[in-house]
Amino acid sequence: MQTGTYYVTTPIYYVNDNPHLGHAYTTIVADALARFHKLLGEKTLFSTGTDEHGDKIVKAAAKHGQSPQEFVDTISGRFRDLWPRLQIANDRFVRTTDPHHIKVVQAIMQKVYDRGDIYFGEFGGHYCTGCERFYTEKELVDGLCPQHLTKPEFIKEKNYFFKMSRYLPWLKQYVEEHPDFIRPERYRKELLGMLESGALEDLCISRPKSRLTWGIELPFDSNYVTYVWFDALVNYISLLGYPDGEDYKTFWPGEHIVAKDILKPHGIFWPTMLRSAGLPLYNHLNVHGYWLMRDTKMSKSLGNVVDPVRMTELFGSDAFRYFLLREMQFGSDANFNYEAFIGRLNTDLANDLGNLFSRVLSMTAKYENSIVPQPRDKTDDDRAIMNDCADSMRNYIKLFESMQIARALEAIWELVRGLNKYVDTQAPWALAKEGKTERLKTVLYVLLACMRKVALVLWPVMPHAAITMLRQLGQDIDYGQNPELIIDDEINCFGGLYPGISIASSSNVFPRIDAKVMLAQLEEESRAMQEKARKLQAEKEASAPRPQVTFDVFKSCELRVGTVLSCEKLKGADRILKFSIDFGEGEPRQILSGIAQHYEPESLPGTQVCAILNLPPRTIRGAQSNGMILTAEKDGRVVLIRPEQPMPNGSLLG
Ligand code: MSP
């Protein structure tokens, strides 16, 4: 029996970079929600996709020496290929370069235009390419883009504007009157703050083709393309086949899941666009926080990005999904830290859940030949744990429905821990020893019946593992075929597990992880990634043109020739050599140089080098460096700069 419909979306991701933990998290949340609503017996639709127009993409494509289309095809494919590896079963994948999407953007734009909500005007603003948007003077922080901390470019041009300001008072009232339209509360407050600040203006929704051609042409002026956000937001209805598609009629309005970075476009641009076009608003905007890596933002240039593919290779996608959904309180930021990750997998999955399955299945094998026993009279203890089971399921549903997924899981884990305790207190081994076979059968039955419920409700979070656990309990449930397996009906009925059926004799769904070995490996991999990022950054810096310096500045650099007296590796630093060099100053000078991977220390005494001497001294691992030896560096190769002919020590370079 179907009780309703449920449509859930993720942001459509920019294709200027590969998918990482942040994208994986949002999409896993949406997948878990879609599965959860299937369990509730609803007809669901889950969509994700890629956002492929705009400056940012053009620049990224150029960097890779590709046309924008070639480039977006490649990266969009990477997103699409990742999802099945994380057990993400999206029903749709939308691309903003899809012809149908383009048509719908133009239709909505025309509707808004016909409504009199678009005008042509001149505009000067601070444009940040990273954000693909203009900032007003007030929004800048010390003259810099608040997101990227880079200096935006001041651009003045004629453009089309959406009269967003016309709808802001209505939106403010709507948000006030619908307390869960934007949730959790802190983001609703943030949005109301923006609406009250008076800083919001009309929205510039076009870009002249003279500056950008990679976009959707405006239906009423072929000299302009559509601003990426106006284009991208429309995906939520274009993929439903708006205006006449069955999916649109069935599923709109839906639920959006986004992170806090894109609260404004989803909380302000999108509802006002929908209002102007005369379309119904979405049901809820569900906003989550950011995943951080040891309290810092993940970034490619820092080399601290968590790769979801690697995580699933090492731990499996069930465990990875479980951790993300259990660790982050939806709405707040969370830290991804390998110790906590492995700790949680070992505690929650291996110790609590895995152990419950393994001990109960092996006891049923030992005492009942792996056949589900017929239960007899229930005791108060049995009734108590069965009530706990029903309560946990009820809480789980309530919390999941209100986006408190971490707490929903906690409710199930309370039950799992309770079941382990029930095993300890009922002690089936003692009942067997004392020949209390009727009681033994009842205890095992109660346990198996509750374990079946646990596995049933965990399907949205850990689909494969749930199905494996159910198979072990003799349950052949195909959720894909049988979405109307309704949790509600299961809560109060304990008859779903039939006595007499065969079950598995053992279970090892969540093996324990050797934390020490795994952490060492992860540590090594992070180090290699950071090293790679450092090199890339250094190369980027090396190839960037330097600003002009005056002749006087150059002359003030004390560059001299010297002869190496001795050279050895610096203790505790693999890449650094410690030199003693005669620059004709009377006393030899100590300089440290990071060239240990390129030169053997024994080969250097007696040879000449060049160095800059008037830098401030630096201390590395307790040793002082009084200058810097000059080298030439390219593509990982490093060579010393030496005079072409031997020169007296102290000779000046210039
Ligand atoms: N293309 C726009 C969205 C248009 S939707 C009509 C965009 N793309 S994005 O690639 O930058 O994706 C942003 C989204 O990725 C965030 O809102 C969030 O869902 C996810 N995340 C990216 N990094 C994240 C973290 N570090 N932590 C959690 N999620 C983050 O914005």
Side-chain angles (χ1 to χ4, degrees):
M1 181 195 68
Q2 244 138 33
T3 54
T5 58
Y6 181 78
Y7 169 42
V8 62
T9 70
T10 73
I12 48 170
Y13 303 112
Y14 286 131
V15 286
N16 58 341
D17 205 353
N18 288 330
H20 61 67
L21 174 71
H23 308 119
Y25 174 72
T26 316
T27 320
I28 288 171
V29 169
D31 181 75
L33 284 164
R35 289 175 192 266
F36 171 75
H37 281 268
K38 264 190 192 153
L39 276 188
L40 294 184
E42 294 173 6
K43 185 172 178 187
T44 64
L45 191 94
F46 158 32
S47 78
T48 183
T50 43
D51 187 354
E52 307 186 358
H53 289 125
D55 284 352
K56 233 198 249 197
I57 310 296
V58 175
K59 289 203 170 119
K63 223 169 90 188
H64 286 79
Q66 286 180 326
S67 72
Q69 190 63 54
E70 278 170 330
F71 181 72
V72 297
D73 287 349
T74 314
I75 310 272
S76 174
R78 282 192 201 147
F79 275 91
R80 208 187 339 228
D81 294 347
L82 171 65
W83 302 142
R85 302 179 77 156
L86 302 175
Q87 304 188 60
I88 285 164
N90 50 300
D91 301 291
R92 301 277 186 281
F93 188 93
V94 66
R95 299 182 57 182
T96 53
T97 47
D98 289 342
H100 177 72
H101 171 79
I102 294 173
K103 262 204 228 138
V104 176
V105 170
Q106 289 174 329
I108 299 286
M109 184 70 94
Q110 189 67 49
K111 257 187 138 174
V112 175
Y113 186 79
D114 294 344
R115 181 83 178 247
D117 282 342
I118 291 179
Y119 63 91
F120 194 53
E122 192 171 52
F123 171 77
H126 303 270
Y127 189 74
C128 169
T129 345
C131 301
E132 308 234 0
R133 56 166 283 209
F134 284 101
Y135 280 97
T136 59
E137 198 77 46
K138 264 195 249 166
E139 288 174 308
L140 299 180
V141 177
D142 296 332
L144 304 179
C145 157
Q147 290 276 339
H148 294 88
L149 300 181
T150 48
K151 193 166 169 50
E153 193 183 347
F154 188 82
I155 295 179
K156 207 167 179 188
E157 64 192 16
K158 286 208 153 164
N159 263 312
Y160 286 91
F161 291 82
F162 166 46
K163 277 189 199 159
M164 196 165 78
S165 53
R166 179 170 168 187
Y167 296 98
L168 296 176
W170 156 81
L171 180 62
K172 184 166 164 282
Q173 191 179 346
Y174 189 88
V175 175
E176 277 164 353
E177 286 171 2
H178 297 81
D180 64 354
F181 178 58
I182 314 273
R183 58 188 185 188
E185 179 62 15
R186 62 156 76 172
Y187 296 111
R188 174 173 174 263
K189 278 204 186 114
E190 192 177 323
L191 196 90
L192 283 170
M194 288 182 215
L195 287 165
E196 279 154 13
S197 70
L200 294 166
E201 292 166 0
D202 287 343
L203 184 67
C204 177
I205 48 151
S206 65
R207 298 289 179 263
K209 278 195 184 166
S210 54
R211 188 152 70 75
L212 176 77
T213 51
W214 186 241
I216 299 178
E217 196 175 285
L218 294 189
F220 43 80
D221 190 338
S222 60
N223 292 317
Y224 286 84
V225 293
T226 308
Y227 168 48
V228 270
W229 273 104
F230 197 104
D231 161 358
L233 288 160
V234 171
N235 93 85
Y236 298 131
I237 56 172
S238 74
L239 75 94
L240 295 176
Y242 169 87
D244 303 316
E246 266 317 300
D247 281 347
Y248 179 70
K249 291 180 201 152
T250 311
F251 289 106
W252 186 253
E255 294 286 321
H256 298 316
I257 319 282
V258 299
K260 60 183 184 180
D261 56 334
I262 49 177
L263 171 64
K264 185 172 173 182
H266 284 82
I268 294 179
F269 305 172
W270 184 220
T272 52
M273 280 164 66
L274 285 167
R275 178 78 174 171
S276 167
L279 301 178
L281 298 190
Y282 51 79
N283 291 330
H284 301 108
L285 178 64
N286 304 285
V287 187
H288 65 78
Y290 250 51
W291 278 99
L292 305 172
M293 190 68 184
R294 299 207 162 92
D295 291 318
T296 14
K297 207 171 161 178
M298 274 183 237
S299 103
K300 220 163 105 179
S301 56
L302 290 177
N304 64 355
V305 178
V306 176
D307 175 8
V309 173
R310 186 67 187 136
M311 288 298 105
T312 51
E313 277 167 5
L314 290 173
F315 303 101
S317 52
D318 288 306
F320 181 57
R321 288 170 65 112
Y322 173 76
F323 175 79
L324 296 186
L325 295 175
R326 176 66 188 86
E327 191 74 8
M328 181 178 259
Q329 300 290 337
F330 197 88
S332 311
D333 290 349
N335 257 303
F336 193 94
N337 140 354
Y338 292 119
E339 288 89 337
F341 180 44
I342 295 174
R344 204 176 256 299
L345 302 193
N346 276 341
T347 315
D348 296 7
L349 297 185
N351 288 2
D352 294 342
L353 183 58
N355 195 26
L356 175 69
F357 267 73
S358 126
R359 66 208 288 223
V360 176
L361 289 184
S362 55
M363 283 190 289
T364 315
K366 190 161 168 195
Y367 306 128
E368 296 293 332
N369 216 7
S370 294
I371 305 289
V372 176
Q374 179 74 46
R376 305 290 164 177
D377 293 344
K378 307 258 169 35
T379 63
D380 284 349
D381 285 349
D382 302 341
R383 276 187 285 274
I385 193 80
M386 285 159 78
N387 276 340
D388 288 350
C389 182
D391 282 348
S392 291
M393 287 172 78
R394 258 182 231 114
N395 279 340
Y396 179 81
I397 294 174
K398 209 169 68 205
L399 292 163
F400 221 115
E401 268 178 334
S402 61
M403 297 302 299
Q404 301 183 67
I405 304 177
R407 290 186 57 205
L409 285 169
E410 180 52 29
I412 295 301
W413 254 258
E414 257 171 45
L415 171 64
V416 170
R417 286 190 290 265
L419 288 167
N420 272 319
K421 240 186 235 147
Y422 175 86
V423 174
D424 297 339
T425 54
Q426 302 303 316
W429 49 91
L431 297 173
K433 215 165 159 190
E434 292 159 18
K436 294 182 177 161
T437 47
E438 301 250 307
R439 181 72 200 127
L440 174 63
K441 284 181 196 298
T442 310
V443 167
L444 289 177
Y445 182 84
V446 167
L447 281 165
L448 291 166
C450 291
M451 283 155 56
R452 174 176 168 279
K453 310 260 187 206
V454 169
L456 278 177
V457 297
L458 285 182
W459 180 69
V461 174
M462 297 189 282
H464 280 161
I467 286 173
T468 308
M469 290 187 283
L470 286 166
R471 292 227 169 98
Q472 291 178 341
L473 295 171
Q475 311 293 299
D476 201 7
I477 293 178
D478 182 343
Y479 285 91
Q481 297 286 313
N482 187 15
E484 66 272 26
L485 189 120
I486 301 169
I487 315 185
D488 251 3
D489 297 347
E490 279 282 339
I491 294 182
N492 297 312
C493 159
F494 267 80
L497 181 70
Y498 301 123
I501 61 162
S502 275
I503 59 173
S505 56
S506 64
S507 170
N508 187 20
V509 193
F510 303 109
R512 227 189 133 69
I513 298 157
D514 184 333
K516 225 169 134 193
V517 172
M518 192 52 94
L519 280 173
Q521 179 174 342
L522 287 167
E523 200 62 33
E524 185 52 46
E525 290 180 12
S526 313
R527 221 176 297 134
M529 194 157 77
Q530 277 164 22
E531 179 60 13
K532 204 167 136 193
R534 200 191 57 78
K535 273 198 184 135
L536 269 172
Q537 197 60 24
E539 271 166 31
K540 216 164 117 189
E541 275 165 24
S543 59
R546 307 279 159 108
Q548 215 171 49
V549 290
T550 61
F551 191 65
D552 285 348
V553 168
F554 175 67
K555 278 308 244 189
S556 66
C557 297
E558 190 182 354
L559 298 157
R560 291 187 192 277
V561 177
T563 301
V564 178
L565 301 177
S566 69
C567 177
E568 62 186 35
K569 277 202 169 158
L570 181 67
K571 277 201 193 83
D574 321 343
R575 25 179 77 256
I576 299 182
L577 293 183
K578 184 169 88 174
F579 287 81
S580 171
I581 305 173
D582 179 358
F583 286 101
E585 301 168 298
E587 286 287 305
R589 190 181 266 262
Q590 176 168 298
I591 300 188
L592 306 177
S593 174
I595 57 170
Q597 275 153 340
H598 307 278
Y599 285 91
E600 291 301 329
E602 313 78 63
S603 67
L604 295 170
T607 66
Q608 286 201 303
V609 293
C610 301
I612 172 163
L613 304 187
N614 58 342
L615 287 176
R618 279 181 65 194
T619 306
I620 303 173
R621 301 228 166 231
Q624 205 177 63
S625 184
N626 300 302
M628 197 172 91
I629 294 176
L630 303 186
T631 57
E633 203 175 332
K634 178 84 182 149
D635 298 334
R637 195 167 154 238
V638 174
V639 296
L640 286 162
I641 305 294
R642 305 177 189 280
E644 191 223 355
Q645 304 277 332
M647 287 294 284
N649 290 334
S651 307
L652 259 181
L653 270 66

